[in-house]
Amino acid sequence: MVRSSRVFERYLFAAFLHRQNWSNFTTLRSSITKAARLPRMDYQDAVCTLNTLQTNAAALEQVRRERGNPELQLQAMRAFLQRSGLTVDELDHLNIIHVTGTKGKGSTCAFAEQILRNYGFRTGFYSSPHLVQVRERIRIDGQPISKELFTKYFWQVYGRLDETKEAHGGSMPAYFRFLTILAFHVFLHEKVDLAVIEVGIGGAYDCTNIIKKPWVCGVSSLGIDHTSILGDTIEKIAWQKGGIFKPGVPALTVKQPDGPMAVLEERAKEIGCSLQVCPELEEYPVPSGSLQLGLAGQHQHSNASLALQLSQAWLQRHYQPDEPLPSSANEHSGLTQAPPFQPSHIMLKGLKDTEWPGRTQTLQHGPIAYFLDGAHTTRSMLACVRWFSEAAAHLERAAGVPAVRVLLFNATGERDSAAMLKLLVPCHFDFAVFCPNITEVLASSNADQQNFNVTVENMLTRCLDNQSSWRTLSGQGAQPSAELLIPGSFPMVAERRGTDTLVFPCILSALQWIGQGRDPVLSVAGKRVAPVQPSVAAKAEPLREAAKIHVLITGSLHLVGGVLKHLDPASTA
C-alpha cells in the first residue's frame, strides 16, 4: 500500500509539473517567438500546446455566459475563424456533408466517406473524439493526417490566433473550436473534393454549424445525452439537432420516435428545406448476399442506410449540378420517404470496406478476445449488449468451449452509469473491472490523451461509485469496505473481498491483470507490469486457467482509445 501510494503521488506530481511546464512554455514562447518560427516545433509540442486550450475555469465561465445567449457561440466561432485567416464563405468550397445525431453519427460519416472515397474523390473527414492520437480527428482519404502535416498546419493556425489575441482581449478558441478551425484549414489547403463533417454536440449552436451551404445534411438516431447543454427531453434535443438544416439543402434522417420526428419536420419547414426519412437497409434492391457491412451490429443498418442516401444525394449534386434542388417548405408540407434505390457496386464495396475503430470492434490476441464499443448512452448500450451477446456466443460456439467473461467499464461526465450498468448485468460477467481513462500510471501519459478538465481524485471516485452500483445491480449488495481514499494518495488496486469486482488506477494495470501474461501484445519485452496486491493476483486464477477470455470494453470512447493504445501498437505510430 505504501509503495502504491508513493507511485500515485509521483504520478500526480509529474502530471502537475508537466502541465505547469507547458503553461510556462506557452507564455514564454508567446513573448519571445514570432509566428514565423512556430512551425519549427514538433508534433508533441503542438499537442501539448493544444492541450492548454482545454476547458479551464475561465473558459467554463465563458461557456456559461454563452449558454444564456447561444448565438454568441457561433459569433465567437466566426470571429476565431476570421482571425485564423479564413472566411465562412470559403467553407462553401468544401462541398460538405454535415451529420448530427445522438448515436451513430460517426459510423454514418465513416460509411459515407468510404463510399465516396471508393468513387475516387479526395475526401476530408472531421470527427470527434479521437481514440489514441488527436490527428485521428482530421482525416484525408480515410487516414489521419500525418504528424508532419498536423504540426505544420497547427502552428500556422495557432500562430495567427496567438498574434491577434491581444487585440481581442487575450481570447483563444477552446480545444474543440480550435480543432474545428484546424480541420477546415487543412481541408482547404489539401484541396479535398468533399468534407464529411460530424457535429460535436447538438447542432444548432455547435461550432461546426458556421457552415452556411453544405451539400446535404443528415440526422442519425436521436436519444438522451448532454442534457445540461441540449435540454432534458428528446424533443428539445431534436430541436438542437435540426439546427444544422439549411435553406434549400436536402436533409435526411433515419426513423425516429414520433415526438422528435415531428420536431425535425417542423424545423425543416421553418428553415425551408426538404426532409426525407431513409428506408430500412433491407429494402434496398441488391443481389442476395451482396450487402455486407464492415461494422458489426444490427444498429449499424440504419447508419448504413443514411450513409447511402447522403452519398447518393452528394453524387447527384456533383454529377448533375444544374438540376434544381427542393428549396422551399411549401414544396414539402410534410415528411417524405426517401426511395430505396439500387446501390452501385462501388457503394456496396464501400459499405463492406468501412472501418471505424472502437465501435463494435473485435480484437483477437491469443486466447483473449477483446470486444470494444464506445457506447455511452442507454440506447447505444442496448445496441452494444445485443452485439456483444451475439458476437461472444458465436466465438464460443466456434471454439467449442465456454469463455470467462470480463467487463472493463468506465463512464465520464454526466452519463448515467447505473442505467448503463443495469443493461450489462444480463451478460453474466465473471469479473467486473473498473478504471479511469488514464492510460498508465507508471509512465508519463501520452499528450494526445491528457485531460486537464477532471482530477484523478474525481475519476477514481467515479470508478468506486460504478463498482458499488454494479454490486447492487448484480444482487451482491454494497458491502462496506476498508478506507480506500487515503488523503493525498490512492492505492494501486481497490478490492472488496468476496466479490468479483475490482478497481484499478489505470487502463494498463487493468488490462495486465485481465490478461495474466497471456496476451502476446501486452507481454512484450520491456512492457512494465503494474504491481498488485497478492490477494488480487490470487483472485485471477480463473483467468489463468480459462481456455478463452472474452473482455467487453465499453462506457466511454476515451476508455476504448486508451485500451487501443496498448492493444494496437500501430495506432501510436
Side-chain angles (χ1 to χ4, degrees), residues 67-97:
R67 282 181 190 169
N69 186 354
E71 180 60 29
L72 288 176
Q73 299 177 46
L74 295 182
Q75 291 178 7
M77 183 63 182
R78 295 185 192 104
F80 285 128
L81 184 75
Q82 187 171 17
R83 282 171 53 190
S84 77
L86 297 177
T87 66
V88 172
D89 290 339
E90 287 180 272
L91 305 185
D92 295 345
H93 301 306
L94 293 177
N95 309 329
I96 289 169
I97 297 175

Side-chain angles (χ1 to χ4, degrees), residues 155-447:
W155 290 115
Q156 287 180 3
V157 174
Y158 187 89
R160 291 168 184 169
L161 290 164
D162 190 55
E163 281 182 328
T164 57
K165 72 179 181 181
E166 296 306 322
H168 294 82
S171 65
M172 289 288 285
Y175 188 90
F176 185 76
R177 283 178 176 174
F178 181 91
L179 286 171
T180 304
I181 294 169
L182 180 61
F184 291 145
H185 183 88
V186 170
F187 296 154
L188 285 168
H189 281 77
E190 291 296 309
K191 297 181 172 55
V192 299
D193 296 314
L194 71 136
V196 180
I197 305 295
E198 178 190 355
V199 166
I201 295 177
Y205 305 115
D206 183 74
C207 65
T208 65
N209 206 32
I210 59 172
I211 299 164
K212 292 198 305 182
K213 296 180 181 178
W215 276 22
V216 61
C217 298
V219 182
S220 66
S221 181
L222 297 180
I224 301 294
D225 197 16
H226 299 294
T227 54
S228 64
I229 299 174
L230 305 180
D232 55 3
T233 69
I234 195 170
E235 287 78 15
K236 291 178 181 177
I237 291 171
W239 187 92
Q240 293 280 353
K241 305 292 184 181
I244 71 166
F245 296 162
K246 300 295 184 297
V249 175
L252 292 147
T253 184
V254 300
K255 291 182 179 179
Q256 311 282 3
D258 291 343
M261 186 66 87
V263 173
L264 290 178
E265 181 181 3
E266 185 61 31
R267 288 287 265 165
K269 289 180 182 178
E270 293 172 356
I271 292 170
C273 67
S274 64
L275 178 62
Q276 291 188 301
V277 182
C278 298
E280 300 290 345
L281 189 62
E282 292 72 22
E283 296 179 37
Y284 290 84
V286 296
S288 178
S290 64
L291 205 164
Q292 302 176 46
L293 303 184
L295 306 183
Q298 182 68 29
H299 59 289
Q300 294 292 357
H301 288 204
S302 64
N303 300 330
S305 178
L306 178 55
L308 284 172
Q309 295 290 337
L310 292 170
S311 302
Q312 179 80 341
W314 193 93
L315 289 166
Q316 287 176 341
R317 170 80 178 267
H318 177 77
Y319 288 116
Q320 300 172 333
D322 298 327
E323 185 173 319
L325 294 170
S327 58
S328 73
N330 295 330
E331 295 176 14
H332 294 274
S333 57
L335 290 174
T336 60
Q337 295 294 317
F341 59 87
Q342 182 170 348
S344 68
H345 73 280
I346 296 177
M347 289 180 170
L348 294 176
K349 187 175 186 303
L351 293 178
K352 183 179 180 181
D353 291 347
T354 298
E355 297 179 353
W356 195 223
R359 291 81 170 175
T360 60
Q361 179 184 10
T362 304
L363 294 176
Q364 189 79 48
H365 288 191
I368 307 175
Y370 298 94
F371 301 83
L372 301 101
D373 189 70
H376 52 269
T377 68
T378 51
R379 289 192 67 190
S380 59
M381 190 59 72
L382 272 172
C384 172
V385 167
R386 189 181 307 116
W387 162 71
F388 170 73
S389 299
E390 294 173 357
H394 175 75
L395 285 185
E396 285 191 356
R397 287 193 299 269
V401 293
V404 170
R405 288 189 173 187
V406 183
L407 170 66
L408 179 56
F409 180 90
N410 190 41
T412 59
E414 62 187 28
R415 295 337 191 291
D416 189 344
S417 300
M420 289 190 281
L421 288 170
K422 184 177 181 179
L423 299 175
L424 289 161
V425 170
C427 292
H428 303 295
F429 293 101
D430 299 287
F431 295 94
V433 177
F434 304 93
C435 70
N437 297 337
I438 299 173
T439 54
E440 54 189 302
V441 167
L442 300 181
S444 59
S445 297
N446 186 339

Side-chain angles (χ1 to χ4, degrees), residues 495-572:
E495 179 197 10
R496 297 186 177 183
R497 291 182 179 275
T499 75
D500 57 357
T501 65
L502 299 100
V503 175
F504 289 85
C506 71
I507 293 169
L508 179 59
S509 60
L511 289 174
Q512 288 178 334
W513 182 84
I514 293 168
Q516 289 297 302
R518 304 180 66 188
D519 183 330
V521 175
L522 291 177
S523 302
V524 296
K527 195 78 169 180
R528 287 183 284 186
V529 179
V532 296
Q533 301 164 8
S535 59
V536 174
K539 195 181 182 84
E541 184 177 353
L543 295 170
R544 290 190 290 270
E545 295 180 351
K548 298 290 181 181
I549 302 171
H550 289 170
V551 188
L552 174 62
I553 299 107
T554 191
S556 165
L557 274 169
H558 300 287
L559 172 66
V560 168
V563 168
L564 283 173
K565 176 181 182 292
H566 294 299
L567 298 184
D568 181 14
S571 65
T572 61

